[in-house]
Amino acid sequence: MSDEGYCTITETVKPAKADGPPYAECVLCREPTEYPESYKGITLCPVCEWQEAQRTACSG
């Protein structure tokens, strides 16, 4: 058996933060995010990003 823990989540690549408006909308709550509107992909606001991290964290 391997010495690796149960958690196999790897870090994800985040888009670069925007210098200013317009900001992309959060895909969950539609609030502004910290990411540029031109970013293509899933963007989350800081609150939803934190909640998603809590939801997917390893419970050990």
Side-chain angles (χ1 to χ4, degrees), residues 14-56:
K14 293 185 178 184
K17 293 193 177 179
D19 292 331
Y23 299 106
E25 285 185 346
C26 175
V27 296
L28 298 177
C29 70
R30 318 274 295 157
E31 290 293 318
T33 67
E34 299 173 332
Y35 307 112
E37 192 175 62
S38 61
Y39 178 74
K40 302 291 187 228
I42 296 173
T43 54
L44 298 173
C45 70
V47 172
C48 290
E49 194 170 301
W50 181 83
Q51 290 173 341
E52 184 69 12
Q54 291 296 312
R55 188 180 70 75
T56 60

